[in-house]
Amino acid sequence: MEPGAYGAGKAGGAFDPQTFIRQPHTILRIVSWLFSIVVFGCIVNEGYINNPKSPEEFCIYNHNQNACNYGITVGVLAFLTCLLYLALDVYFPQISSVKDRKKAVLSDIGVSGFWAFLWFVGFCFLADQWRVSKEEDSLLNEGSDAARAAIAFSFFSIFTWVGQSFLAFQRYQLGADSALFSQDYTDPSQEAGMPFAPYTNEDTTDSMGTYQQPPSADAFDAGTQGYQTQDY
C-alpha cells in the first residue's frame, strides 16, 4: 500500500478502477450489497404465502409479520448503506484534509459494527421464528427455500460487515504518514482566494533612507534676508 493518510495517497491522484475493485474493503462491500439483495428479495417474493383454507396472505415465519418486516427493512437499508459507502470509497482519495479522512474511517468502523449487530439480531429472529413455524402452514413447501436462504444470507452478512469494520479499524491504525501529511493539511487550490502580503523592497528602502531633500525656497529667502545691496 502506498504511503498516505488512512490507506490512501495524497489528494489529486487519478482514479484507477482496477485498483479500487481489488481493495479488500471494496470486495466486502460488494458482497454485503449482494447478500442484502438476496435477503429482502427472498422475503418480498416468497416470504408471504396463503393457507389453502384462507385466501389471506401471512408471513412464512410463524405468521409473524414483524419477522418479515424486519428482514425486508434491514435488507433494504443495508443495500443503501453499501451504495453510500462505495461512493465514499471512490471519493475518499480526493479528500485533502486528514481530519476529514479520520472522520470517514471512524464512521466506517461504527456503521459496519452496527450493521453486523443488526444482521445478528435478524438471523436469530428469523431462525427462531422459522423453527417454531408449523408444517401445515406450507403443505407444498411453498417459500421454504426462500425462507432458508434469507436466514442463511443473514448469517453470512454478519461476517461481511464484521470484516468491513475490522478493515476500517486497520486503516484507522495506519493513520497518516507524517512525511506526506499534517493534521492541518489543506488543498492548495482552496487557498487561492487568500490575499497576498504587500511587496516591499528592502534595498530600495535602505537606499532611500540616505537621500536628503534639497532646501525649500522659503529657507533660501530666510537665509538671504541679512544681505543688503549697496548703492553706488
Side-chain angles (χ1 to χ4, degrees):
M1 181 180 295
E2 63 177 349
Y6 298 99
K10 296 188 70 174
F15 175 72
D16 186 1
Q18 294 184 353
T19 303
F20 173 74
I21 293 296
R22 293 173 183 174
Q23 292 177 340
H25 61 273
T26 302
I27 296 174
L28 283 179
R29 291 200 207 285
I30 295 176
V31 172
S32 299
W33 178 70
L34 294 175
F35 286 177
S36 65
I37 295 176
V38 173
V39 172
F40 78 78
C42 288
I43 298 177
V44 169
N45 292 329
E46 300 185 39
Y48 294 91
I49 59 176
N50 61 307
N51 193 295
K53 300 179 181 179
S54 174
E56 184 180 358
E57 291 186 343
F58 56 86
C59 179
I60 196 173
Y61 296 102
N62 194 32
H63 293 212
N64 191 340
Q65 191 72 18
N66 292 330
C68 288
N69 290 339
Y70 185 90
I72 294 173
T73 302
V74 171
V76 172
L77 293 180
F79 171 83
L80 297 176
T81 303
C82 288
L83 292 180
L84 175 63
Y85 274 87
L86 280 172
L88 179 61
D89 290 338
V90 173
Y91 179 70
F92 188 81
Q94 305 302 322
I95 300 177
S96 58
S97 173
V98 175
K99 293 181 180 180
D100 292 339
R101 289 192 179 191
K102 181 179 179 180
K103 293 177 182 178
V105 173
L106 287 176
S107 70
D108 193 2
I109 297 173
V111 171
S112 298
F114 177 70
W115 275 109
F117 171 75
L118 290 181
W119 280 118
F120 174 76
V121 173
F123 165 72
C124 295
F125 189 20
L126 295 179
D128 180 69
Q129 293 301 308
W130 179 250
R131 180 181 60 84
V132 297
S133 297
K134 299 178 181 179
E135 295 182 0
E136 57 267 21
D137 291 338
S138 181
L139 298 177
L140 300 177
N141 290 327
E142 181 182 0
S144 298
D145 292 338
R148 295 189 184 96
I151 295 173
F153 282 94
S154 296
F155 178 74
F156 298 150
S157 296
I158 299 172
F159 298 99
T160 59
W161 285 97
V162 168
Q164 292 181 61
S165 182
F166 175 74
L167 292 177
F169 180 72
Q170 284 188 328
R171 293 163 64 191
Y172 175 75
Q173 285 185 320
L174 183 63
D177 187 351
S178 59
L180 293 179
F181 287 87
S182 65
Q183 292 296 324
D184 297 326
Y185 173 81
T186 55
D187 192 350
S189 62
Q190 298 177 359
E191 299 180 353
M194 295 181 61
F196 293 97
Y199 173 78
T200 58
N201 191 332
E202 296 181 357
D203 296 337
T204 304
T205 304
D206 294 340
S207 61
M208 293 295 293
T210 58
Y211 175 77
Q212 296 181 355
Q213 188 174 3
S216 61
D218 295 338
F220 178 77
D221 294 339
T224 58
Q225 287 180 358
Y227 176 77
Q228 297 180 357
T229 58
Q230 185 175 3
D231 296 333
Y232 294 96

